[in-house]
Each structure stands twice: as structure tokens, then as C-alpha cells.
Amino acid sequence: MSNPFISHYYTFDPNLPPYSQKLQEYWVAANGVFLRSHRPELEICLPIARTKIPGLAEIQPYLKLNVPRVPASMIADIVNTARVNPHQEILFYLGVENNRWWLHTPMQEASSTHVRSLQQDNPQYRQALVEVHSHGCMKAIPSSQDNQEESGKFRVFAIVGTVNTIPTIYSRLGIYNHFFEIAPNFIFEP
């Protein structure tokens, strides 16, 4: 039975063909199993399992941002907003239109350990490439609740933490049910 969202391939040529119409492509290669996916702003081909499989071609992993990085001034705005009430989480959506970043703070319900948007049909949410939330005074480390809420999406997730002292940023790429930790400077200007 064919899955309308996922395809599976064996790699006999290291030069991968153009993307299929599927949301996720799994490639079995000589150097492991890779997940390949794309959206206009971002392309990825990353290993989800490392192993040696004889008789297949190797794949070179890649992570390609097709838009400019988020401006440092926008990150400063996020940190400064999170500092207003450091004992309450806050949520932001960031997207790109015509190579210019926009920032949206949705109506939300928040506490010291949770934040969620009150707008279920939010166009900024659907268009966002980056979803940022704060952990206030706590460390910028994803929680099990973050893992659950961020599953099933293809975007960059970031957490801003320790806003009461020296702010830190944790970032990862979420591709549906896979997470890959990435350096914050991949998506954010220093």
C-alpha cells in the first residue's frame, strides 16, 4: 500500500534525484538511513541511523537555509519581551516573506511551565519557519512537553532561557517526528 506522505528509496547513485511530492523521503544508503525533506525556505538530508550497508552509494548529509538568517535585532526583541515577565513562558512565530523576516506574538495562555496559542487557525502559525518560546529563568532545554507539542511539524524550534542572567538559545530542527539539534547561528544572526 502506498503512503501519500512518505516514500522509501535505496541509494545506488550518490546524486539524489529531485525531490518527490512526498513530505518525507527515507533513503537507505551505504552510510545509514537518511531523512530528506524540504520547504521553500529550508532543505535537509540528515542521518537518522548510522550503519554500514554494502552495495549502496553513500549520501552526503546537508542542511540548507534558502533565506537570510533571522536578524540579531529580532532575537534581541524576543529576549527583551521574555524578560518583562521572566516567570512566565511566551511564544513567538517567525516567518519570511520576500526574504524579510516577520515576528508575530499570538494571543496565548501561559504559565511558568507552559505556553500555548489561543488562535487555532492562525495564518502566521501556518507560515512560520521558526517557533520560539521562552523558558524564562530556567535553562533553554526542551522538555518532554515541548517534544510532544513540537512533533508532527516541519520547522525550526528554539527556546530562550536564563533571561534573568545571561540569555541562552537552544535550537533544533523538527521534521515531523524527528528532531535534530542545530547550532543557533545556523538560523539566527550572532
Side-chain angles (χ1 to χ4, degrees), residues 19-65:
Y19 290 104
S20 69
Q21 298 300 314
K22 305 288 178 104
L23 298 176
Q24 300 174 77
E25 298 176 357
Y26 289 92
W27 288 85
V28 179
N31 53 336
V33 179
F34 290 75
L35 171 61
R36 186 169 84 150
S37 192
H38 73 288
R39 53 183 288 170
E41 312 94 335
L42 185 65
E43 300 176 41
I44 70 104
C45 185
L46 296 172
I48 59 170
R50 296 276 189 184
T51 190
K52 299 285 184 200
I53 303 173
L56 297 175
E58 285 194 3
I59 291 179
Q60 293 305 310
Y62 60 86
L63 179 58
K64 182 179 176 192
L65 187 63

